[in-house]
Amino acid sequence: TAIEANIGEAYSIDLPSGVDPGFDQVDGFVETWYDQSGNSNDAVQATAGSQPKIVSAGSLNADGGLLFDGSDDTLIATTSNNSVIGSYSFTNVVKTPNDSSTRSILSTHTGNDVNKLTIDRRRSGLSAGLGPNGFGASVRIDVDPDRLFAGAGGSSTNTAIVTLNRDGSSASIFENGTLLASGSFDSVDSGNIYIGSNKDSSQYLIGTVIETIVYDTDQT
């Protein structure tokens, strides 16, 4: 649609409402977010209605990130390696409004989800969970309730670098380079990586994901 709108504008063709760039009505969605590491672990969403948006009403998102609607948007990086890894680091640059629901920034899943990891933005702050049942994780690190993306008590919208790093025995949550919380944490099954959701649950992210960096090693 965006390509047709661009051609129509170039040749002064009046297109139908909804695809006419003269009215700034064109949206752009992302089917594939390409892995820049060279490992070809691209994040993909083939279902058009579940793709995050990068262009809204004809304009690129101000922060250049991917806008997730909180309804069903998610990207999935399918990996062939389902081995359990002891040390890892997940870093996300995100911007999200304050609301009352738990929203998953990133999660990992395999067939049985035994070592399933979730990194959530909760009403009480940031949180990371590990266990067989997602939100009811058997192990969880919660952040002080007054912390919410650098906004004490919760502010409207903040951009933050959120990192969960495990050094082999315990994990720590960082926000903008500042340690927020740490605790005993297990290894994780690398599995598939879901960006913007807790797999197929209702915890879809509202907000923007600007960058995601994944290491299967300790990045302390």
Side-chain angles (χ1 to χ4, degrees):
T1 301
I3 294 173
E4 291 177 348
N6 183 267
I7 294 172
E9 185 176 30
Y11 291 98
S12 300
I13 299 172
D14 188 23
L15 298 175
S17 176
V19 295
D20 194 332
F23 294 97
D24 292 330
Q25 296 171 329
V26 178
D27 292 335
F29 298 86
V30 174
E31 179 177 353
T32 304
W33 202 11
Y34 291 100
D35 176 17
Q36 301 299 302
S37 71
N39 293 313
S40 300
N41 292 320
D42 302 332
V44 177
Q45 177 54 262
T47 302
S50 299
Q51 294 168 358
K53 186 186 299 184
I54 192 169
V55 173
S56 301
S59 298
L60 185 70
N61 295 336
D63 47 31
L66 309 186
L67 181 62
F68 291 74
D69 64 8
S71 175
D72 57 4
D73 291 357
T74 188
L75 291 171
I76 306 165
T78 302
T79 66
S80 58
N81 178 16
N82 289 333
S83 63
V84 174
I85 52 177
S87 298
Y88 46 80
S89 177
F90 295 89
T91 295
N92 304 271
V93 182
V94 292
K95 182 168 71 174
T96 178
N98 177 21
D99 72 348
S100 59
S101 301
T102 296
R103 303 291 181 179
S104 291
I105 300 169
L106 179 145
S107 62
T108 67
H109 299 268
T110 58
N112 54 18
D113 287 340
V114 173
N115 293 82
K116 170 182 172 182
L117 171 73
T118 60
I119 302 174
D120 300 327
R121 174 225 178 276
R122 305 177 71 188
R123 183 65 179 87
S124 59
L126 292 169
S127 176
L130 182 71
N133 297 311
F135 186 71
S138 56
V139 179
R140 181 170 289 282
I141 301 175
D142 289 313
V143 175
D144 187 317
D146 288 334
R147 297 286 309 194
L148 193 62
F149 282 12
S155 57
S156 57
T157 301
N158 293 286
T159 301
I161 304 172
V162 177
T163 298
L164 174 70
N165 188 82
R166 184 175 190 270
D167 61 10
S169 59
S170 63
S172 302
I173 298 176
F174 297 86
E175 178 189 7
N176 297 331
T178 300
L179 176 64
L180 301 186
S182 60
S184 177
F185 219 62
D186 205 348
S187 55
V188 64
D189 197 320
S190 57
N192 293 338
I193 298 172
Y194 287 70
I195 300 171
S197 78
N198 182 6
K199 197 178 180 182
D200 53 357
S201 75
S202 60
Q203 295 164 213
Y204 291 99
L205 182 68
I206 295 177
T208 304
V209 178
I210 302 166
E211 188 168 5
T212 295
I213 304 173
V214 177
Y215 285 96
D216 58 0
T217 54
D218 175 16
Q219 293 297 307
T220 303

